[in-house]
Amino acid sequence: MTNPLTAKVAYGDVEVGTELPAQSFPVDRATLVRYAGASGDFNPIHWNEKFAKEVGLPDVIAHGMFTMAEAIRVVTDWTGDPGAVVEYGVRFTRPVVVPNDDQGAVIEVSGKVAAKLDDNTVRVDLTATSGGQKVLGMSRAVVRLG
Amino acid sequence: MALDQSFVGRTYPPTVPYEVGREKIREFAEAVGDANPAYTDPEAAKALGHPDVIAPPTFVFSITFKAAGQVVEDPQLGLDYSRVVHGDQKFAYVRPVRAGDRLTVTSTIEAIKSLAGNDILDIRGEVHDEAGEHVVTAWTKLVARAAEEA
């Protein structure tokens, strides 16, 4: 069934290799404090530099789940309906280090259609990097199109 | 010390229901900087076919991870949580989580592996609504890094 309101992207209009609009997501210490509060994850490695260094990290790092939340926006902004996401998975391969300066860090996310599946669904493979290094691996979403 | 393989397949009791509120969804969406109106405007969500505002795809992790605490903190399992990092995360959705949902989570240990001294624990969380309908499944892989030599 095709719902015209959700059909921002039509299954018939995409093919394997179709690129989704890439996006950049800035993240600074305030972002992490806010995410900690909203998500309930108060692990001090995400806001306490002293603690992060004591456990062997280079500096405060972003929540992996924050990066995961940003990466899927490339898909949900493309489809329009976040409820169209059927599956979403990632591997946390490298932390996003967030220095306490005026700039913080930036997470760059791109995605492309890797396979066309049944029921008007497609698999999108996402690439997320920060500081030129991949921060997510096996980052894949299955999404239903109009 | 390697974790006890006999815990594989163990299922923990369902959690007390978590009630998903519109304002909690709004707070989460704002925290990830996502202005999609389906998260904050009930009319926009209805126009997409949802009965109320929906939650961003990863919102449910806050609920399933809290539920996984039953496993992580099980004294019989004996996981050293201070050494745990999040390895993988996956979700499979039957439908999006939405405001008004009262969700319970049933956690199961799917796998325990030991690799180069690291303990790797796979936990599956099945999320159901008040009517008992399946909403989403979350798979969380936790890696407890090997203790350093003293």
Side-chain angles (χ1 to χ4, degrees), chain B residues 10 13 15 20 28 35 38 50-51 66 76 79 83 87 94 97 110 117-118 125 141 143 148:
Chain B
R10 181 170 295 205
T15 54
V20 179
F28 186 91
H50 307 299
K66 195 173 174 193
Q76 289 184 295
L79 186 71
R83 310 201 65 80
V94 177
V97 168
E110 273 202 337
N118 298 327
K141 185 186 291 290
V143 180
E148 284 149 21

Side-chain angles (χ1 to χ4, degrees), chain B residues 25-122:
Chain B
I25 292 175
R26 177 194 301 277
E27 181 189 3
F28 186 91
E30 286 178 350
V32 297
D34 194 332
N36 193 311
Y39 302 142
T40 51
D41 177 357
E43 293 309 316
K46 279 175 193 155
L48 293 169
H50 307 299
D52 204 327
V53 293
I54 62 171
T58 62
F59 174 88
V60 76
F61 180 79
S62 298
I63 306 167
T64 60
F65 190 63
K66 195 173 174 193
Q70 286 177 295
V71 182
V72 168
E73 291 157 17
D74 183 342
Q76 289 184 295
L77 180 63
L79 186 71
D80 179 0
Y81 189 64
S82 70
R83 310 201 65 80
V84 165
V85 295
H86 197 175
D88 294 18
Q89 181 60 40
K90 186 180 172 188
F91 302 99
Y93 306 89
V94 177
R95 65 161 174 85
V97 168
R98 59 187 178 232
D101 274 339
R102 288 171 57 82
L103 303 175
T104 59
V105 186
T106 306
S107 300
T108 299
I109 298 179
E110 273 202 337
I112 293 174
K113 292 182 192 118
S114 188
L115 214 73
N118 298 327
D119 284 319
I120 301 166
L121 183 64
D122 286 300

